[in-house]
Amino acid sequence: IAVLDGGFQDANLMSCFDSLFLQGRILSTWDFVDHNTNVYDDNWHGTAVLSTMAANIPGDMIGTAPHASYILLRSEDVNSENIIEEYNWASAAEYADSAGADVINSSLGYTVFDDQSMNHSYADMDGNTAPGTIAADIAASKGILVVNSAGNEGGSSWQYIGCPADGDSVLAIGAVDATELYAGFSSQGPSFDGRIKPDVTAQGQGTTVYIPGVTPSTQSSGTSFSGPVIAGSVSCLWQRFPTKKNMEIAEAVKMSASQFINPDAFLGYGIPDFSVASLVLGGYEPSLFNDGLEVIDFYPNPLHKGE
């Protein structure tokens, strides 16, 4: 999993990531802003994002992909907002591809900039216009599953998803709260050309994360955290079905979601059920699970003689 973010402050010093470093599962790092390998001296945002996937503290928090290997890439300068960051994103995605990444998690989004002449319009959110979106779709064409946060503009004057979440080959992730209700900050769809966005949702309000200097885990909110919850989960799903293509995995996740039959502009296709996605990839007909029928679990599994 390649994580594109604004920095991973102190991640190399935190006990929740001990196993990552002890087992050599941080494969490489690069800072596309400062042009060096040190991604641990900038911003904490990427640290919290990484924790939703990679943290491993039994009894406190285990992320959604605690045994994955990671590439940590800083493409975002949190001190400003300039369109060069979309080109940094493209460079980071190219790096991820060259390093063999299967999944990109990007808790980043671009709409307007410090230089207003560079601003995107909603019309640019058509999946084909913004530089970051073009890069994300190219990454997907190379076989990478690109998971991107939808954005936190719901309720603002912008309201809609940003780039590169608008990409037609990007799995854009919105946010719900712990009761599975739409989180009011979560950016809404559709894309300008009318496609369902966000694609699916996960808990992004009150998500459990690790932040430098805060022990034990804490909670934070944003589609920045619902995105990696899904990115780690799809990585586990793909590990079970390694011969499947990236878009087959993405499609199964959408088919498994709670609103697949009736998607909307708030939750998209809804909250995925990865047990159902697994069945879909295994050849079961997804309509069986979207007509109110329940999947039957057998316990214990495996069944032993006499049980």
Side-chain angles (χ1 to χ4, degrees):
I1 303 173
V3 188
L4 279 58
D5 217 283
F8 303 86
Q9 180 187 342
D10 294 341
N12 56 328
L13 304 175
M14 296 169 63
S15 60
C16 64
F17 300 125
D18 279 355
S19 60
L20 278 181
F21 291 92
L22 289 170
Q23 296 168 12
R25 290 189 286 107
I26 299 295
L27 302 184
S28 64
T29 62
W30 188 256
D31 186 328
F32 289 87
V33 180
D34 291 338
H35 307 290
N36 59 45
T37 59
N38 187 6
V39 298
Y40 304 119
D41 62 345
D42 293 291
N43 186 265
W44 62 266
H45 184 268
T47 306
V49 166
L50 180 64
S51 73
T52 67
M53 298 179 282
N56 192 355
I57 301 289
D60 185 30
M61 175 186 172
I62 296 178
T64 53
H67 294 159
S69 296
Y70 292 87
I71 301 166
L72 306 183
L73 305 173
R74 181 189 178 216
S75 63
E76 170 78 4
D77 184 351
V78 299
N79 299 310
S80 61
E81 192 74 349
N82 293 298
I83 200 166
I84 186 62
E85 291 165 297
E86 290 191 49
Y87 293 94
N88 289 345
W89 198 105
S91 296
E94 186 173 19
Y95 179 111
D97 178 39
S98 71
D102 301 295
V103 175
I104 285 176
N105 179 82
S106 163
S107 292
L108 302 170
Y110 302 98
T111 54
V112 297
F113 302 99
D114 296 343
D115 179 350
Q116 295 183 11
S117 68
M118 299 291 180
N119 283 358
H120 292 309
S121 66
Y122 176 47
D124 291 337
M125 300 298 109
D126 62 356
N128 296 303
T129 299
T133 302
I134 294 169
D137 280 345
I138 291 173
S141 75
K142 304 298 183 182
I144 299 173
L145 181 51
V146 181
V147 181
N148 205 97
S149 299
N152 300 327
E153 302 298 330
S156 75
S157 58
W158 175 275
Q159 175 182 331
Y160 296 107
I161 56 167
C163 144
D166 65 307
D168 60 11
S169 299
V170 174
L171 197 62
I173 314 301
V176 294
D177 64 17
T179 66
E180 302 185 1
L181 295 177
Y182 168 72
F185 59 77
S186 184
S187 290
Q188 301 167 17
S191 63
F192 183 74
D193 56 323
R195 287 173 290 112
I196 296 297
K197 289 287 178 175
D199 293 287
V200 295
T201 54
Q203 185 172 346
Q205 184 168 322
T207 310
T208 301
V209 299
Y210 279 99
I211 294 175
V214 178
T215 304
S217 58
T218 185
Q219 292 185 336
S220 193
S221 296
T223 60
S224 286
F225 307 122
S226 58
V229 166
I230 294 294
S233 300
V234 298
S235 299
C236 296
L237 179 66
W238 205 354
Q239 182 173 332
R240 185 174 185 185
F241 295 94
T243 63
K244 298 295 185 180
K245 304 298 185 184
N246 57 340
M247 302 315 295
E248 291 178 297
I249 298 293
E251 190 63 21
V253 170
K254 289 187 280 188
M255 286 181 175
S256 78
S258 57
Q259 298 186 162
F260 178 61
I261 299 299
N262 295 298
D264 62 28
F266 299 94
L267 305 187
Y269 292 103
I271 301 168
D273 182 330
F274 283 86
S275 62
V276 173
S278 181
L279 289 170
V280 170
L281 290 167
Y284 287 81
E285 171 56 50
S287 63
L288 291 175
F289 311 109
N290 289 294
D291 292 332
L293 300 179
E294 294 184 355
V295 178
I296 299 173
D297 288 327
F298 290 94
Y299 181 84
N301 185 12
L303 192 66
H304 300 288
K305 183 178 180 180
E307 294 181 325

